């Protein structure tokens, strides 16, 4: 058996604070979802003014990124090349989800929804950077 790293509540809170700070700095109302490596929710925050659908989309982006261990932008680009990827059963196939990698293992993901996809990813990146 091998041991694998796992996110702690403290890790998740620190990442969420960084994501929210980035969103607030830019006056963006978004939903931020942080999941574990299986895509199970650890923390979700729908900021004031974020649309209701953003909660579902943020979770789907995080799920996709956690299960595939890739940024959702990768899948968005692949779907442009091969439209069959649109039926890929992993969630949302557009930019805004980033995996959380630690010592070569995926320990979870962050998904953001509510503004332009590249801005969603900018917010998620703030959380990834906070993990270190």
């Amino acid at each position: 058996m091998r041991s694998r790293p796992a996110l702690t509540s403290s890790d998740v809170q620190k990442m969420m604070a960084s994501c929210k700070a980035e969103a607030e700095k830019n006056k963006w109302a978004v939903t931020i979802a942080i999941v574990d490596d299986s895509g199970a929710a650890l923390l979700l925050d729908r900021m004031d003014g974020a649309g209701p659908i953003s909660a579902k989309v943020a979770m789907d982006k995080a799920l996709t990124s956690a299960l595939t261990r890739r940024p959702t932008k990768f899948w968005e680009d692949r779907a442009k090349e091969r439209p069959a990827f649109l039926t890929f059963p992993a969630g949302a196939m557009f930019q805004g989800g980033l995996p959380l990698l630690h010592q070569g293992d995926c320990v979870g993901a962050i998904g953001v929804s509510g503004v332009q996809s590249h801005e969603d990813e900018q917010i998620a990146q703030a959380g990834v950077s906070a993990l270190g």
Side-chain angles (χ1 to χ4, degrees):
M1 281 280 169
R2 74 178 186 107
S3 297
R4 290 185 19 206
L7 293 171
T8 65
S9 178
S10 176
D11 295 330
V12 173
Q13 295 294 334
K14 183 166 70 171
M15 289 184 295
M16 181 61 77
S18 292
C19 289
K20 287 184 71 171
E22 183 68 20
E24 289 167 353
K25 175 180 83 175
N26 291 289
K27 297 179 176 33
W28 294 333
V30 297
T31 297
I32 303 157
I34 302 176
V35 301
D36 68 12
D37 62 327
S38 73
L42 295 174
L43 188 60
L44 181 121
D45 191 326
R46 184 173 146 205
M47 298 172 69
D48 293 342
I53 197 162
S54 68
K56 170 94 170 90
V57 175
M59 278 299 298
D60 286 350
K61 288 179 180 183
L63 172 71
T64 299
S65 197
L67 294 180
T68 66
R69 281 50 175 162
R70 293 186 180 270
T72 52
K73 175 79 166 103
F74 171 86
W75 297 110
E76 180 179 348
D77 292 342
R78 290 290 292 160
K80 289 175 187 173
E81 297 166 13
R82 286 188 60 201
F85 272 105
L86 291 174
T87 62
F88 195 65
M93 307 289 272
F94 40 92
Q95 189 174 8
L98 294 175
L100 296 165
L101 304 172
H102 180 73
Q103 298 176 349
D105 284 311
C106 181
V107 295
I110 301 175
V112 180
S113 179
V115 286
Q116 297 292 315
S117 291
H118 68 278
E119 295 165 340
D120 289 341
E121 186 172 297
Q122 179 180 329
I123 295 165
Q125 184 59 55
V128 170
S129 296
L131 186 58

